[in-house]
Amino acid sequence: MEFRVSQVPGRTVIVLAAGEGKRMKSATPKVLHALLGRTLLGHVLGAAEAARADRTIVVVGHKADQVAAHLAEIAPAARPVLQAVQNGTGQAVRIALEAGENATGTVVVLNGDVPLLRPETVEALIAAHEQAGTAATVLVAEVADPTGLGRIVRDERGNLERIVEERDATTEQRALREVNAGIYAFDAALLREALSKLSTDNDQGEEYLTDVFGLLASVGHRVGVHVAADATETLGCNDRAELASLRALLRDRVNTAWMRSGVTILDPATTWIDVTVGLEPDAVIDQNTQLVGRTTVAGGAMVGPDSTLIDTSVGAGAVVLRTHATGAEIGPEANVGPFSYLRPGTRLARKAKVGAFVETKNADVGEGAKVPHLSYVGDAEIGPRANIGAGTIFANYDGLKKHHSVVGEAAFVGSDTVLIAPAEVGPGAYVAAGSAVSNVPPGALGVTRPPQRNVAGWTARKRPGTASDEAARRALAAQDEGTATEPDEASGDPA
Ligand code: UD1
Ligand code: CA
């Protein structure tokens, strides 16, 4: 996943991601927590793409190496800048600007923990800011519960006067429900000037970026607010409970978009689709299903219920029931499950079948081939139209190394077979049920079964008086009677 950074001179994006996120109580920095396939930081950078900035700076601090490494992976064009001691959002932006070689024009600042922000909203904020020619513009929202957030204080004419943090607010100000989303657009020069005047005269003893608004307004600069169309976009993430509610909101947003584009989702409340997943119209997703990572589902395919697909592709018209799959390719019209476990390197060709309690890994299952029940297929290639009987095990591991096996086209492997790798069963060959084989030439029958031996009367001698003994006696007595009278009718033999 990579975010394109195209060139529009005069815009700089700064993402604030240096904080620890104490309330997450986590060894992982807050901005690296994941939400349906992307980190919080990844979501924010995705929205920030709409700024079409010529430079993107991410302020890192707490576990900076870890955050910078993630950044290099998801947005290599963005530049991490270190805020060694986190002394507030104002200090963070100043450090970023100092690193930003004379940024001019518009500076867009985004908190790194506001993952539901949409690109359209960033675009609208910038447009409002640049068209009005204001010194600074803040994205705001009216929320039911403003707890913990900065309040928007307006003057008698309704103009933004200042932003006040909850812990520094008067009782009157605390009652305000219009809040700061932590997303801003600034004029670079005026921002730089205001940042040099920030104080730490507040409850936390930190430099607040939000004080820039009051400072600019007090010396007669115009500052503006841009009201978010959808207040959920402005929600921050401070603890795991908030992370879970954001995840549910994003789930609904993602599911609604897929349904509008023609995908059937039978139970959107229990269907979790990563933002990185691709679906085609007329795909059907049944309840309790998770589609993760680079998973794709083609049109007419049915996935679920109770399935988790990770980095797995599902071809057109395939059916995947109660399955856990990771790194698998499921071909068109293939049939998987219930209770199948497909591991990386599994490739099912068109109309292949993998059934109940079958595990596969590095396995190519050919067109129309079937592995219907209770098998392990590891490091193997199964030819088209071959049939692998119930309970067949590909014994791929000798304790030191894994070995590869091949079953040819239209071969038939009987139930409860062990194929001892490297095994080769030729095209059209048969393996008798209960065998352990390594090599069966094309068209041959491989059988390693010892001949059957029956010890007559064993139960009567060794288990006398048991239910088994009684059942056997009754059966034998009936057999004797049968042979004594009307033999033809009793045996049902027309001859
Ligand atoms: C901030 C705003 C508040 C707003 C809220 C929206 C300030 C002073 N307050 O509060 O008005 O309603 O966001 O969610 O800005 N960070 C740094 N360096 C620091 C401190 C923070 O990079 O020294 C980063 C954090 O990692 C985080 C973001 O800035 O991504 C916001 O910091 P946080 O501590 O969460 O601010 P809030 O108290 O939520
Ligand atoms: Ca926050």
Side-chain angles (χ1 to χ4, degrees):
M1 175 173 53
E2 211 176 277
F3 296 109
R4 198 174 30 80
V5 181
S6 60
Q7 307 286 309
V8 170
R11 283 195 196 143
T12 301
V13 162
I14 298 173
V15 179
L16 305 185
E20 174 183 359
K22 282 195 191 65
R23 282 171 283 168
M24 295 298 281
K25 306 208 165 126
S26 175
T28 303
K30 174 163 80 177
V31 294
L32 297 193
H33 279 261
L35 211 54
L36 295 184
R38 270 186 198 163
T39 57
L40 301 185
L41 181 58
H43 285 287
V44 172
L45 285 167
E49 269 193 85
R52 288 174 292 124
D54 60 342
R55 61 181 82 76
T56 298
I57 297 168
V58 178
V59 182
V60 298
H62 176 74
K63 301 210 171 163
D65 291 348
Q66 222 175 311
V67 179
H70 175 64
L71 194 63
E73 229 174 80
I74 65 163
R79 174 169 167 206
V81 165
L82 184 69
Q83 182 192 21
V85 181
Q86 291 85 56
N87 199 27
T89 47
Q91 186 201 43
V93 171
R94 195 175 54 239
I95 290 171
L97 271 187
E98 279 161 9
E101 323 99 23
N102 282 323
T104 56
T106 303
V107 176
V108 180
V109 178
L110 305 104
N111 278 3
D113 64 351
V114 191
L116 298 193
L117 183 68
R118 287 186 169 96
E120 297 88 316
T121 305
V122 174
E123 212 167 4
L125 169 73
I126 295 171
H129 171 79
E130 290 180 351
Q131 276 156 29
T134 35
T137 309
V138 56
L139 183 71
V140 305
E142 182 100 34
V143 295
D145 177 13
T147 307
L149 295 167
R151 308 297 204 279
I152 301 301
V153 182
R154 294 174 184 259
D155 65 18
E156 15 353 297
R157 283 169 305 170
N159 293 327
L160 174 60
E161 195 173 81
R162 55 188 295 238
I163 302 171
V164 61
E165 292 306 295
E166 179 171 273
R167 48 211 306 169
D168 304 303
T170 62
T171 319
E172 206 176 289
Q173 287 167 337
R174 276 181 202 214
L176 297 169
R177 292 192 298 115
E178 193 178 27
V179 298
N180 166 22
I183 316 290
Y184 324 81
F186 298 99
D187 173 80
L190 295 174
L191 172 63
R192 202 177 273 111
E193 197 185 317
L195 286 172
S196 71
K197 296 180 184 144
L198 287 183
S199 80
T200 53
D201 184 18
N202 53 55
D203 187 63
Q204 295 193 87
E206 289 184 353
E207 292 179 42
Y208 287 167
L209 176 61
T210 44
D211 284 349
V212 163
F213 285 84
L215 278 168
L216 289 172
S218 70
V219 295
H221 287 293
R222 287 199 304 133
V223 292
V225 298
H226 181 75
V227 181
D230 170 5
T232 66
E233 282 186 58
T234 68
L235 294 172
C237 175
N238 295 301
D239 60 29
R240 314 256 186 159
E242 286 180 0
L243 184 64
S245 19
L246 293 181
R247 186 177 288 116
L249 286 165
L250 186 57
R251 173 202 63 206
D252 290 344
R253 190 196 279 182
V254 167
N255 288 348
T256 301
W258 282 124
M259 289 186 283
R260 296 247 153 86
S261 78
V263 173
T264 296
I265 297 179
L266 293 172
D267 184 15
T270 63
T271 302
W272 300 83
I273 302 175
D274 276 3
V275 296
T276 45
V277 163
L279 305 176
E280 283 180 12
D282 287 325
V284 177
I285 314 298
D286 207 340
Q287 64 184 18
N288 285 326
T289 294
Q290 282 172 278
L291 304 179
V292 178
R294 293 181 307 275
T295 293
T296 58
V297 182
M302 290 181 59
V303 177
D306 309 323
S307 296
T308 298
L309 307 188
I310 303 161
D311 299 333
T312 289
S313 63
V314 180
V319 175
V320 181
L321 267 180
R322 292 183 210 280
T323 288
H324 187 98
T326 166
E329 286 171 35
I330 298 170
E333 295 169 72
N335 197 306
V336 180
F339 310 110
S340 303
Y341 180 26
L342 310 186
R343 293 167 52 200
T346 295
R347 281 200 297 266
L348 311 186
R350 174 182 295 274
K351 292 190 173 174
K353 176 178 174 64
V354 167
F357 307 105
V358 172
E359 175 178 339
T360 61
K361 184 212 68 171
N362 279 338
D364 276 292
V365 182
E367 181 162 346
K370 294 188 167 75
V371 191
H373 337 267
L374 299 157
S375 291
Y376 173 60
V377 183
D379 302 302
E381 193 184 316
I382 296 172
R385 289 169 298 285
N387 191 306
I388 308 297
T392 295
I393 303 298
F394 286 68
N396 60 329
Y397 186 47
D398 64 9
L400 294 172
K401 280 201 309 204
K402 304 282 170 67
H403 300 277
H404 191 255
S405 296
V406 179
V407 174
E409 178 181 348
F412 184 98
V413 176
S415 295
D416 194 26
T417 291
V418 181
L419 296 171
I420 302 156
E424 196 163 342
V425 175
Y430 272 62
V431 180
S435 296
V437 301
S438 273
N439 199 300
V440 185
L445 169 72
V447 51
T448 62
R449 223 161 45 197
Q452 182 175 338
R453 183 169 73 99
N454 292 335
V455 181
W458 188 93
T459 308
R461 287 197 305 281
K462 301 291 191 183
R463 301 287 184 270
T466 60
S468 308
D469 183 27
E470 279 161 29
R473 280 177 203 282
R474 277 198 304 275
L476 291 168
Q479 240 177 44
D480 287 350
E481 252 173 60
T483 40
T485 61
E486 305 169 76
D488 288 352
E489 264 180 54
S491 69
D493 184 346

